[in-house]
Amino acid sequence: MTANRRLDIEVTFQCTHNQADGSFGGGATYRQSGSLPDMGTVVDADGSIHLDRAASFDSSVYNTNVDVYLTLVSPANVSPDNTTTPIAWATQYGQGVTLHPPEGGGTIGEFSVETVPGNPNQILIRDKDDDSNTYHYKPAVELLEHGHYYISLDPPIVNRPPAR
């Protein structure tokens, strides 16, 4: 039986505080922290995941599925305050990540999303990687000290073309 490939991504959220109205916002940078087998560089700093750029692999050991582990770095730096705030994936009312198919549409059988037991700052996206579509995944973070303030992000996942 073959194993899923694994892609590890570290997510660093930069929080901004609008001192005029008290609201919060921000964005994230993404860093590919590992892969098994070595896929080469498939993650951009903006979070775009390009499985279409993944290196070839031994199909007697690995299958086309990819387990994408998103690990959130906490606490987040807050500017212009020069402080930090603890953050976590927004799993209180959902999965912490939503996935959207290309060109809108219905449900996605291509992915599943799971929280990693015992690690609230890690989410697992299981991708079948069996089509050639581009999906958008929206990880969301909560600022834990600010009334569970919810902030959503929006990078794409580009799947590799089907095997020929």
Side-chain angles (χ1 to χ4, degrees), residues 58-158:
D58 184 345
S59 61
S60 69
V61 178
Y62 296 99
N63 58 50
T64 59
N65 296 353
V66 180
D67 293 340
V68 179
Y69 285 86
L70 299 174
T71 302
L72 183 63
V73 176
S74 183
N77 292 322
V78 182
S79 64
D81 302 5
N82 269 344
T83 60
T84 61
T85 186
I87 57 174
W89 292 119
T91 57
Q92 185 174 2
Y93 301 108
Q95 298 176 314
V97 173
T98 56
L99 290 143
H100 299 275
E103 301 169 17
T107 60
I108 300 176
E110 178 70 19
F111 300 95
S112 67
V113 177
E114 305 167 21
T115 55
V116 176
N119 190 343
N121 283 5
Q122 195 169 60
I123 288 181
L124 168 60
I125 300 173
R126 294 188 189 273
D127 181 358
K128 292 179 185 172
D129 194 23
D130 64 357
D131 62 19
S132 58
N133 290 320
T134 298
Y135 298 86
H136 286 271
Y137 69 107
K138 288 189 174 202
V141 298
E142 288 183 279
L143 309 182
L144 300 178
E145 290 182 342
H146 302 281
H148 289 279
Y149 207 92
Y150 178 96
I151 301 169
S152 181
L153 310 167
D154 189 17
I157 297 174
V158 181

Side-chain angles (χ1 to χ4, degrees), residues 7-79:
L7 177 61
D8 291 293
I9 302 171
E10 183 177 88
V11 181
T12 303
F13 182 73
Q14 298 87 25
C15 184
T16 55
H17 181 204
N18 182 337
Q19 295 171 333
D21 68 6
S23 65
F24 292 89
T29 55
Y30 300 77
R31 182 181 70 82
Q32 182 175 332
S33 55
S35 64
L36 188 64
D38 182 6
M39 294 184 186
T41 303
V42 298
V43 179
D44 295 339
D46 69 359
S48 299
I49 300 171
H50 296 276
L51 295 177
D52 57 332
R53 295 191 313 217
S56 60
F57 58 92
D58 184 345
S59 61
S60 69
V61 178
Y62 296 99
N63 58 50
T64 59
N65 296 353
V66 180
D67 293 340
V68 179
Y69 285 86
L70 299 174
T71 302
L72 183 63
V73 176
S74 183
N77 292 322
V78 182
S79 64

